[in-house]
Amino acid sequence: MRTESRRHVEPHRQAEPHRRTDEAVILALDQGTTSSRALVFDRRGAVLGSAQQEFGQSFPQPGWVEHDATEIWATQSGVMHEALARAGVTARGVAAIGITNQRETTIVWERASGRPIAPAIVWQDRRTAPMCDALRERGEAARIMAKTGLVLDAYFSGTKLAWLLDHVPAARARAERGELAFGTVDSWLVWQLSGGKAHVTDASNASRTLLFDLHAGDWDDELLTLFDIPRSMLPTVVDSSRVCATTTLDGVSIPIAGIAGDQQAALFGQACVEPGLAKNTYGTGCFLLLNTGRSAVASANNLLTTVAWRRAGVLDYALEGSVFIGGAVVQWLRDGLKIIHSAADVEALAASVTDNGGVYFVPAFTGLGAPHWDAYARGAMFGLTRGSNSGHVARAALESIAFQSADVLDAMQKDAGITLTELRVDGGAAANDLLMQFQADVLDVPVVRPTVLETTALGAAYLAGLAVGYWPDTGVIAANRLVDRRFEPRMQRDRVAALRGDWRKAVERAKAWA
């Protein structure tokens, strides 16, 4: 599903360490799957200081992935102070805090002590797949999708929470007595920051739980009954941009004013605030979101419908599609085939040939994500001849990232009835000019790369800053957005049609392999 490398660090206009500033700033907490980060932003959206710390990953059984929630908080608290120190800012200079987080990861803790009752079950964890299979066999998948916009999958939080209640001794009885609290990572951080005074989540994170009715904008009693979840465990759902709590830092009270799941935060950070605007984050995987405005578009093409954010009590929605293997294919060229020494070398190797030479690479190492959803597809390469060389393989690998993203965006446009006018991009692989140009060519729309690639944390900062008047409106945010480069499509359309036709043939041959 998701991968941490979408958090590619690409500092821009970053101040030298210990620079002193008297200007108010926004502190963004970016809590990811393998590390906790904090970034300090000024009114231009520039990074004044940042810090990052990795934390432990636990794999106690095949398919299980766990985190220590106390370590998540410890690392996040540490980098928060470090980032401010590097920016030369004291707590009195922080106008507000914004939070963005790994989504779907599930934590249950004691209300009285604040201690987790078990390790956090990470979004990648597959232990509840049999529960999903059983619900699917009972015919519940359609009802769940109609209410939540989500496919019935172990990816999401609802089955993880049910598992904890069923498997941690006395957990269900304690939950029914009101002693336990549930939250995704945003809720956990706000609880800790507020000293246990605030138990909240924003609508974007709530929409990833399988327990939230997209249309009603609240927890759904039928779904809570289906998963056997006591409503008393759940956090209050708040706006993504609103003062929802306060924290005390060095004796100073600071409002917590913005919360959004990581991909929604990146959408906002890219200023995709109007329907029809889309962003693609090129990390280990690719994560595409299309703003559909006030319409919760039901997908007929195997995409997810999700809350983008809630502001002033009003929900905005997005369609989401994920590509499992994006930049990871480049890592495989480096670590598996060893045809490049570093990821940065792939562009030059791919550019050593004029085209792919008829070679197509389907990187279905872990199956295919949207819009195919084939868990049994496997990686495959087609069209090899005696004339094929490492340059063709490298080029085919890069092109596979663009082909997969184009497949998802085609599905999005069909679902939403919206014609894309440009694609805004971020993430580590967005720095690859050859890939970005090919992406523009296969989509036949401009691909726009911003100067600041820290869009996830920036989105959280913007949501927080808007809530406290640090930025007056989204127009200022859009004006802040600086374009590094705009890639215009230039390939002949008949050539694109032929390339995509051969790509589709390759994908079909890779499906249902295992």
Side-chain angles (χ1 to χ4, degrees):
M1 300 285 179
R2 289 178 307 172
T3 51
E4 174 62 19
S5 63
R6 69 192 185 285
R7 311 264 205 218
H8 181 76
V9 180
E10 192 73 29
H12 170 68
R13 297 186 300 193
Q14 184 159 330
E16 57 276 5
H18 307 299
R19 165 187 165 181
R20 293 289 164 187
T21 177
D22 296 324
E23 181 187 8
V25 298
I26 301 293
L27 174 62
L29 308 183
D30 184 358
Q31 204 299 302
T33 307
T34 62
S35 70
S36 296
R37 300 177 60 221
L39 296 94
V40 179
F41 291 95
D42 67 11
R43 293 186 194 276
R44 300 170 300 155
V47 179
L48 298 179
S50 65
Q52 179 172 358
Q53 185 175 345
E54 294 186 354
F55 55 87
Q57 309 289 307
S58 177
F59 310 96
Q61 295 185 36
W64 290 31
V65 188
E66 296 180 344
H67 288 160
D68 180 346
T70 58
E71 187 182 10
I72 286 176
W73 165 239
T75 54
Q76 191 65 75
S77 177
V79 296
M80 175 172 63
H81 291 84
E82 186 180 349
L84 289 172
R86 289 184 175 183
V89 177
T90 66
R92 293 191 182 280
V94 179
I97 292 173
I99 295 172
T100 184
N101 56 286
Q102 53 165 316
R103 304 174 299 178
E104 299 97 19
T105 294
T106 301
I107 305 170
V108 175
W109 64 92
E110 297 173 341
R111 290 186 181 276
S113 69
R115 289 193 298 265
I117 66 167
I121 302 181
V122 181
W123 59 267
Q124 299 161 317
D125 190 284
R126 304 302 297 174
R127 75 185 68 180
T128 62
M131 186 187 307
C132 294
D133 292 340
L135 288 167
R136 197 174 295 108
E137 290 173 6
R138 286 166 46 188
E140 299 289 357
R143 175 162 67 125
I144 289 170
M145 175 167 271
K147 284 179 176 283
T148 69
L150 306 176
V151 296
L152 177 54
D153 192 86
Y155 180 17
F156 305 106
S157 308
T159 58
K160 294 176 168 61
L161 175 53
W163 190 95
L164 286 168
L165 293 179
D166 288 338
H167 290 81
V168 177
R172 185 168 294 283
R174 297 185 68 193
E176 290 170 352
R177 291 196 299 266
E179 297 176 10
L180 302 181
F182 151 75
T184 43
V185 172
D186 58 309
S187 297
W188 172 244
L189 293 180
V190 174
W191 178 279
Q192 295 294 333
L193 287 164
S194 67
K197 294 178 181 177
H199 184 207
V200 300
T201 189
D202 92 298
S204 74
N205 278 292
S207 74
R208 313 295 294 189
T209 60
L210 291 175
L211 306 174
F212 183 83
D213 188 321
L214 277 180
H215 314 285
D218 200 0
W219 305 118
D220 183 84
D221 288 327
E222 286 187 5
L223 294 172
L224 292 174
T225 299
L226 179 65
F227 290 102
D228 199 12
I229 306 295
R231 193 182 183 104
S232 62
M233 297 187 73
L234 304 184
T236 301
V237 180
V238 299
D239 283 0
S240 309
S241 181
R242 168 192 164 185
V243 176
C244 63
T246 59
T247 189
T248 301
L249 187 62
D250 298 332
V252 178
S253 180
I254 302 172
I256 302 167
I259 306 173
D262 52 11
Q263 298 306 320
Q264 289 97 329
L267 189 70
F268 203 82
Q270 284 273 31
C272 294
V273 295
E274 300 295 334
L277 293 176
K279 72 88 189 174
N280 193 15
T281 298
Y282 296 81
T284 301
C286 294
F287 302 90
L288 300 95
L289 270 75
L290 171 70
N291 186 327
T292 61
R294 305 294 160 78
S295 176
V297 175
S299 177
N301 293 280
N302 295 319
L303 303 179
L304 305 178
T305 308
T306 193
V307 171
W309 44 75
R310 193 175 88 185
R311 298 179 60 220
V314 179
L315 291 168
D316 282 290
Y317 298 93
L319 280 169
E320 178 174 339
S322 57
V323 170
F324 294 162
I325 301 295
V329 73
V330 178
Q331 296 170 341
W332 183 76
L333 295 181
R334 180 193 66 196
D335 302 333
L337 288 189
K338 302 186 186 303
I339 62 173
I340 54 175
H341 294 292
S342 71
D345 296 337
V346 71
E347 185 170 3
L349 181 57
S352 68
V353 293
T354 57
D355 56 36
N356 65 15
V359 178
Y360 290 84
F361 186 178
V362 183
F365 301 140
T366 57
L368 289 169
H372 308 287
W373 293 107
D374 185 343
Y376 303 102
R378 288 296 178 266
M381 205 176 303
F382 300 96
L384 294 170
T385 68
R386 286 288 299 272
S388 301
N389 60 37
S390 60
H392 295 118
V393 173
R395 194 175 190 102
L398 286 183
E399 290 181 354
S400 76
I401 301 172
F403 283 136
Q404 291 179 98
S405 297
D407 289 347
V408 174
L409 285 166
D410 283 351
M412 283 185 170
Q413 292 183 109
K414 290 175 185 176
D415 280 337
I418 293 172
T419 301
L420 200 69
T421 58
E422 67 177 28
L423 178 66
R424 300 179 179 185
V425 299
D426 53 64
N432 188 304
D433 289 350
L434 189 152
L435 171 59
M436 294 299 100
Q437 182 58 57
F438 190 74
Q439 187 72 85
D441 289 338
V442 297
L443 291 176
D444 196 27
V445 296
V447 166
V448 184
R449 183 172 65 202
T451 303
V452 177
L453 293 178
E454 294 284 3
T455 57
T456 302
L458 184 57
Y462 280 151
L463 289 165
L466 286 169
V468 298
Y470 185 83
W471 290 287
D473 52 47
T474 56
V476 173
I477 287 171
N480 266 353
R481 185 172 174 273
L482 300 177
V483 173
D484 170 60
R485 183 166 172 184
R486 185 180 179 92
F487 298 85
E488 298 286 348
R490 62 191 186 197
M491 189 179 290
Q492 294 293 322
R493 300 320 300 161
D494 57 350
R495 173 62 178 156
V496 172
L499 288 169
R500 295 197 67 185
D502 286 344
W503 163 257
R504 283 189 285 269
K505 284 165 52 180
V507 169
E508 290 305 312
R509 283 162 172 75
K511 285 182 176 179
W513 183 265

